[in-house]
Amino acid sequence: MKHDAGRVVPSLALALLAIGAPALGQGTPWQLVWSDEFDGTTLNRDIWQPQFGTGTIYGLPSGWGNNERQYYTDRPENIVVSNGSLKIIARAEFYAGSQYTSARIRTPGTLEILYGRIEARITLPSGPGIWPAFWMLPTTSPYGGWAASGEIDIMESVNDADRIYGTIHFGGAFPANTSNGGSFAPGIDFSAAPHIYAVEWEPDQIRWYVDGQLIHSAASSVWFSANENGNDRAPFDVPFHLLLNVAVGGNFPGPPSGSTGFPMTMTVDYVRIFERQQLPFTSSSAAIPGQIEAENYDLGGAGFAYLDSDASNNGGVYRPSESVDLEACSEGGFNLGWIRQREWVEYAADVAVSGVYRVLTRVAAQSGGGTFRLEFGGVNRSGTIAAPVTGGWQQWTTVEKTATLLAGSTTMRFVNESGAGGQFNVNWFRFELIAEAGDVNADTRVNAEDLYALEQGTGQYEDVDLDGESGTADDFAALKQRIRTGEVDPG
């Protein structure tokens, strides 16, 4: 069994397992961050919590709000882990006043997900009145009671296991709720062999797959929460937890019949969670000093490599499957277009030398203009940079700032700081080394003359150790160490 007892939030790029995974879905790489392979002999209760009864102890009407007929237990008659799989077994037996027993397990507080690919390999039970499901609920319900805070059904099937349903529930609290979903009926019996059921959940889109085949998708323009009208991504923008269960009867499948061959078993070979693996768009990270083309932001998708305010690419001429607005540029190539409030994009970069850099950015704005910053490794290194009005979306000008950068591999994030009315375009970012760390007098060499300039207080760049404080004892020590070790010309 592979697991971590803490919570998993793929949107924060937690690499809980150093396990590579093949490219899935739309071709953007995914990385496995958690899995339960059920290769032990008992259910891992550090992760999975069985639920009990008919729903009343959880504040639901008897029958789990769906007129279901089973009593959920955690007995070995209903939950078994053996031979590399989890079995959830529904039985026809009188128990605690119910005619049937089964199991329902979930992960609130132990395994919570916000965005990612969630999949399981499952062999379904089949028979009248049988309702297996692999699904997700929010743990805290921040937008109100079901379904104002949402529900994601990764896989449901009823009765003869010949059709798979993928659905989201949202809107207002019951009975003012609504849903969006699709079904897949390729003419096969899903109880005859295991199949892989998955969703790819991103800020502006949820996609459903069966054995890698896309069966349905829903965009954020479709869903909403009645209690959060100002948030286009609600309710599917908060952590959800997993559930696995087999219900008997209920509003969806109807009741079991004499032909329902109990016991009915849902066999789960594994549950796996993947996150977007953020990679450079080109074959390698952008080099600094050098120029970064704005349209070549990282692979990884929405919420990982970028955040765009709408779900469509309004330019539509470059990387059209992603929602970052790109358009053909009058100066050649493409540019980021119509950048709006709170939007950002990221670029993998390699900084060759620690030091002070001139940062040049090519911008254009028909009206409004705006401001932005450049973060490196999560730190604002540029301060606020203004993008002025230029009189046209393709009337370009270059704005300049300085930034102190540290050598090494990093991620540069361009962040729009503008208010609601700010809007502008970006074509490229260029970085020119002004002074290497320790080049106090900016003569392109680091030697004893820099130490003299530091002692006299006549240097231009006296923050040798790049800690944000100039001319301190630490700066003297750092420069002396470099000279003493022969790292630089002693002059």
Side-chain angles (χ1 to χ4, degrees), residues 8-241:
V8 175
V9 187
S11 67
L12 300 182
L14 297 181
L16 300 186
L17 296 176
I19 302 173
L24 301 172
Q26 290 187 320
T28 300
W30 293 86
Q31 173 121 15
L32 183 65
V33 293
W34 181 88
S35 74
D36 194 338
E37 308 294 326
F38 301 110
D39 51 8
T41 57
T42 60
L43 184 69
N44 176 16
R45 299 199 182 208
D46 289 338
I47 297 293
W48 300 102
Q49 307 162 21
Q51 291 189 270
F52 299 92
T54 62
T56 57
I57 64 173
Y58 303 97
L60 297 172
S62 182
W64 295 91
N66 299 298
N67 295 312
E68 300 164 24
R69 302 189 177 192
Q70 77 287 335
Y71 191 102
Y72 286 130
T73 87
D74 67 346
R75 304 176 304 155
E77 289 87 350
N78 300 115
I79 300 176
V80 175
V81 175
S82 64
N83 300 318
S85 65
L86 163 72
K87 288 89 172 173
I88 294 180
I89 306 167
R91 297 182 180 274
E93 57 177 338
F94 286 100
Y95 187 91
S98 297
Q99 294 178 283
Y100 306 94
T101 63
S102 187
R104 168 168 157 160
I105 59 176
R106 61 178 184 165
T107 67
T110 59
L111 181 67
E112 297 177 348
I113 304 105
L114 175 59
Y115 309 135
R117 178 183 169 94
I118 303 98
E119 72 174 36
R121 188 173 187 260
I122 303 173
T123 304
L124 299 180
S126 175
I130 300 302
W131 183 5
F134 174 41
W135 52 303
M136 303 175 72
L137 284 173
T139 298
T140 60
S141 298
Y143 303 125
W146 190 89
S149 289
E151 174 181 322
I152 301 173
D153 298 326
I154 303 170
M155 179 283 301
E156 292 181 287
S157 185
V158 293
N159 300 323
D160 294 332
D162 58 354
R163 182 181 297 270
I164 302 301
Y165 297 88
T167 312
I168 50 175
H169 298 266
F170 52 91
F174 178 84
N177 56 293
T178 187
S179 63
N180 177 277
S183 66
F184 180 58
I188 65 175
D189 179 0
F190 288 97
S191 71
H195 297 269
I196 297 173
Y197 305 98
V199 293
E200 292 176 358
W201 174 21
E202 297 182 337
D204 289 306
Q205 190 176 67
I206 300 174
R207 297 179 294 274
W208 285 258
Y209 296 87
V210 175
D211 295 329
Q213 180 175 343
L214 179 68
I215 66 167
H216 184 62
S217 65
S220 57
S221 57
V222 170
W223 68 67
F224 66 95
S225 176
N227 298 325
E228 191 72 8
N229 292 328
N231 181 356
D232 293 341
R233 294 187 170 112
F236 302 110
D237 63 343
V238 297
F240 278 50
H241 61 266

Side-chain angles (χ1 to χ4, degrees), residues 239-250:
F240 278 50
H241 61 266
L242 299 176
L243 299 98
L244 287 161
N245 71 290
V246 177
V248 180

Side-chain angles (χ1 to χ4, degrees), residues 118-454:
I118 303 98
E119 72 174 36
R121 188 173 187 260
I122 303 173
T123 304
L124 299 180
S126 175
I130 300 302
W131 183 5
F134 174 41
W135 52 303
M136 303 175 72
L137 284 173
T139 298
T140 60
S141 298
Y143 303 125
W146 190 89
S149 289
E151 174 181 322
I152 301 173
D153 298 326
I154 303 170
M155 179 283 301
E156 292 181 287
S157 185
V158 293
N159 300 323
D160 294 332
D162 58 354
R163 182 181 297 270
I164 302 301
Y165 297 88
T167 312
I168 50 175
H169 298 266
F170 52 91
F174 178 84
N177 56 293
T178 187
S179 63
N180 177 277
S183 66
F184 180 58
I188 65 175
D189 179 0
F190 288 97
S191 71
H195 297 269
I196 297 173
Y197 305 98
V199 293
E200 292 176 358
W201 174 21
E202 297 182 337
D204 289 306
Q205 190 176 67
I206 300 174
R207 297 179 294 274
W208 285 258
Y209 296 87
V210 175
D211 295 329
Q213 180 175 343
L214 179 68
I215 66 167
H216 184 62
S217 65
S220 57
S221 57
V222 170
W223 68 67
F224 66 95
S225 176
N227 298 325
E228 191 72 8
N229 292 328
N231 181 356
D232 293 341
R233 294 187 170 112
F236 302 110
D237 63 343
V238 297
F240 278 50
H241 61 266
L242 299 176
L243 299 98
L244 287 161
N245 71 290
V246 177
V248 180
N251 299 334
F252 194 6
S257 71
S259 65
T260 306
F262 290 99
M264 284 285 175
T265 301
M266 178 170 75
T267 301
V268 184
D269 296 328
Y270 62 74
V271 177
R272 295 173 181 170
I273 299 171
F274 301 79
E275 68 174 10
R276 286 286 193 188
Q277 184 180 4
Q278 190 165 326
L279 297 171
F281 180 72
T282 54
S283 59
S284 59
S285 299
I288 296 177
Q291 183 164 303
I292 298 175
E293 297 297 332
E295 68 269 26
N296 290 337
Y297 58 88
D298 286 353
L299 297 172
F304 298 94
Y306 64 82
L307 183 66
D308 197 84
S309 61
D310 56 24
S312 61
N313 181 337
N314 291 316
V317 294
Y318 189 70
R319 305 178 71 169
S321 66
E322 297 185 303
S323 59
V324 176
D325 300 322
L326 301 172
E327 62 176 339
C329 181
S330 63
E331 298 183 328
F334 306 92
N335 62 263
L336 295 178
W338 315 289
I339 302 162
R340 298 177 179 88
Q341 187 178 25
R342 293 190 300 274
E343 293 183 339
W344 53 263
V345 290
E346 290 189 339
Y347 306 84
D350 284 323
V351 180
V353 178
S354 295
V356 180
Y357 286 80
R358 179 180 296 108
V359 182
L360 306 170
T361 307
R362 196 71 168 156
V363 298
Q366 175 74 45
S367 59
T371 58
F372 64 94
R373 67 178 182 268
L374 300 178
E375 298 177 356
F376 288 80
V379 178
N380 181 0
R381 296 287 182 180
S382 68
T384 297
I385 305 174
V389 175
T390 62
W393 293 116
Q394 295 297 320
Q395 297 295 317
W396 296 96
T397 190
T398 301
V399 294
E400 180 177 331
K401 203 75 182 286
T402 59
T404 299
L405 306 182
L406 303 178
S409 297
T410 187
T411 297
M412 183 187 87
R413 175 180 284 196
F414 161 82
V415 183
N416 182 12
E417 294 184 339
S418 307
Q423 206 170 59
F424 57 96
N425 291 354
V426 172
N427 189 13
W428 46 253
F429 311 93
R430 184 180 299 157
F431 298 87
E432 300 173 353
L433 180 63
I434 298 174
E436 180 182 352
D439 186 8
V440 177
N441 60 7
D443 66 353
T444 72
R445 298 181 303 161
V446 180
N447 55 25
E449 293 180 7
D450 296 296
L451 184 59
Y452 178 78
L454 191 59

